[in-house]
Amino acid sequence: MNLHLWRLFLDAADHGSLSKVAVLHGTSQPHVSRQIAELEQQCGGRLFERTGRGVALTALGQRIAPRVRVWLSSTEQLEQEIRSTAGQTMGRVRLGTLPSLAHPFTSTLFTRLRQRHPLVQLSVREGQGAQLETGLEDGSLDLALLFRHGQPNGSDALSLAEAETFLVGPEGDPVTAKPTVKFKALDGLPLVSFCRPSSWRDQLEQVARQRGVQLNVVLEADSLALQLGIASHGGAYALLGSYAIDVARSQHRFQAARLVDPPIVRHIALALARSGQLSPATRAVMQEALALAKEMSLDTTRPAPAVTAAGRSKASSRG
């Protein structure tokens, strides 16, 4: 069993593109194609169908992929544990992250790992909550930085911070002019929100039904940059956490008012893969992430500034 070939197989299954796999492995697309063909010859059947958009698993590929993933994960974990006994924490950790946490948190985490665990390779995949949960379920992710609506219990996720929700509108907007805005103010208000499936959308609509509020989502967009761009130009309002707002201060002009009555609180969590198997490298990433969250004060329950200019709050513009 050639570990390298099976890694290529899983990467191709995850990315759906041999050219992307070639970039990931620092080689050429024809070379990856030849290696996949060699693996298919050894298996006695086609593992991928070539499509106009890339590659897709055949029935044979779909049947063996879960077992290959488990086998390869356990093999890599054994290799990491053997090397760790010699005092070297090493191995690849596949981390999923929400766009709002990609920078500066995840980028700073990478820098710390390079300094403290240089043999740990971080593989980061950005996505929305439902995508990240799927990755944890099928084993394509080891860890994920995401939002949870309830307090993580510690068995499958660790809490990093709490995040309240803010209504974001354009500069000078009367709805977001005050520090807080009641949930009932969302009734009929044009909103931009994340695409379905979205546990965030589900939570908002559940609260809206309980309060007799009609949510009016006029645009679905998974891009935070697009949501903030739309909100800052007055096309629709966005409902975001203050961490996402902080990241966008230098790019957009907007106002943000904290949602109250009721407040909508989510937990920034570090979630674990469903397999429950944690390699030494994964544990090292977890420890560094928890320490970094504490150092960066990821407690987003603090009041968010009503930003009226790029990088400037009302208070700072007066002072």
Side-chain angles (χ1 to χ4, degrees):
M1 299 286 283
N2 188 315
L3 291 178
H4 176 68
L5 292 182
W6 287 112
R7 288 190 181 102
L8 287 179
F9 165 73
L10 290 181
D11 286 338
D14 291 340
H15 292 279
S17 167
L18 297 187
S19 59
K20 290 182 180 179
V21 175
V23 172
L24 181 65
H25 288 264
T27 186
S28 65
Q29 189 271 341
H31 181 65
V32 172
S33 183
R34 286 194 299 270
Q35 290 183 301
I36 293 294
E38 177 185 340
L39 184 60
E40 290 177 327
Q41 185 176 10
Q42 294 176 9
C43 293
R46 299 293 294 273
L47 299 175
F48 292 98
E49 295 287 353
R50 275 61 174 178
T51 69
R53 302 179 61 182
V55 294
L57 288 172
T58 62
L60 173 62
Q62 293 175 4
R63 187 164 66 248
I64 68 173
R67 299 178 64 181
V68 171
R69 198 180 297 278
V70 171
W71 166 72
L72 190 58
S73 177
S74 62
T75 302
E76 290 176 340
Q77 182 176 351
L78 176 60
E79 178 185 14
Q80 294 170 21
E81 289 176 351
I82 292 173
R83 291 184 178 273
S84 294
T85 59
Q88 300 182 75
T89 301
M90 66 168 296
R92 183 172 69 141
V93 178
R94 300 160 300 175
L95 174 68
T97 181
L98 294 169
S100 60
L101 296 173
H103 181 75
F105 185 80
T106 304
S107 53
T108 306
L109 175 62
F110 164 74
T111 301
R112 287 177 61 128
L113 288 169
R114 291 290 293 170
Q115 295 170 345
R116 303 182 183 186
H117 303 283
L119 298 182
V120 172
Q121 179 187 2
L122 200 61
S123 177
V124 179
R125 181 178 300 175
E126 189 176 296
Q128 296 305 322
Q131 296 170 307
L132 301 183
E133 294 284 6
T134 299
L136 295 171
E137 186 70 36
D138 65 20
S140 60
L141 291 176
D142 301 306
L143 300 169
L145 292 162
L146 41 70
F147 287 120
R148 289 282 174 83
H149 303 307
Q151 175 72 41
N153 57 22
S155 61
D156 66 341
L158 304 173
S159 180
L160 298 182
E162 290 185 357
E164 290 191 301
T165 302
F166 293 79
L167 182 67
V168 181
E171 180 180 3
D173 171 59
V175 180
T176 57
K178 295 182 179 180
T180 62
V181 59
K182 292 185 178 181
F183 189 91
K184 65 180 181 181
L186 301 183
D187 192 31
L189 208 64
L191 300 173
V192 53
S193 190
F194 295 102
C195 301
R196 293 188 178 282
S198 168
S199 58
W200 172 229
R201 289 275 299 275
D202 294 341
Q203 182 189 17
L204 287 174
E205 292 187 354
Q206 180 180 357
V207 176
R209 286 193 296 269
Q210 294 170 350
R211 298 280 169 154
V213 172
Q214 183 66 41
L215 297 182
N216 178 27
V217 177
V218 297
L219 175 65
E220 292 185 335
D222 283 340
S223 167
L224 281 176
L226 179 57
Q227 287 198 27
L228 283 161
I230 293 291
S232 64
H233 286 87
Y237 293 85
L239 290 165
L240 300 170
S242 61
Y243 196 68
I245 294 171
D246 287 346
V247 173
R249 286 181 187 176
S250 60
Q251 287 84 33
H252 300 282
R253 302 166 64 93
F254 54 82
Q255 292 178 172
R258 182 165 54 90
L259 206 60
V260 297
D261 193 23
I264 307 298
V265 179
R266 294 176 291 171
H267 297 269
I268 301 176
L270 181 63
L272 318 179
R274 304 293 185 265
S275 64
Q277 297 180 343
L278 298 178
S279 68
T282 302
R283 292 183 185 277
V285 173
M286 289 175 59
Q287 292 170 357
E288 294 296 341
L290 290 170
L292 181 60
K294 185 176 182 180
E295 292 174 16
M296 293 181 68
S297 298
L298 276 190
D299 186 359
T300 54
T301 57
R302 66 191 186 284
V307 179
T308 59
R312 300 176 60 197
S313 68
K314 285 183 176 178
S316 63
S317 62
R318 288 195 299 265

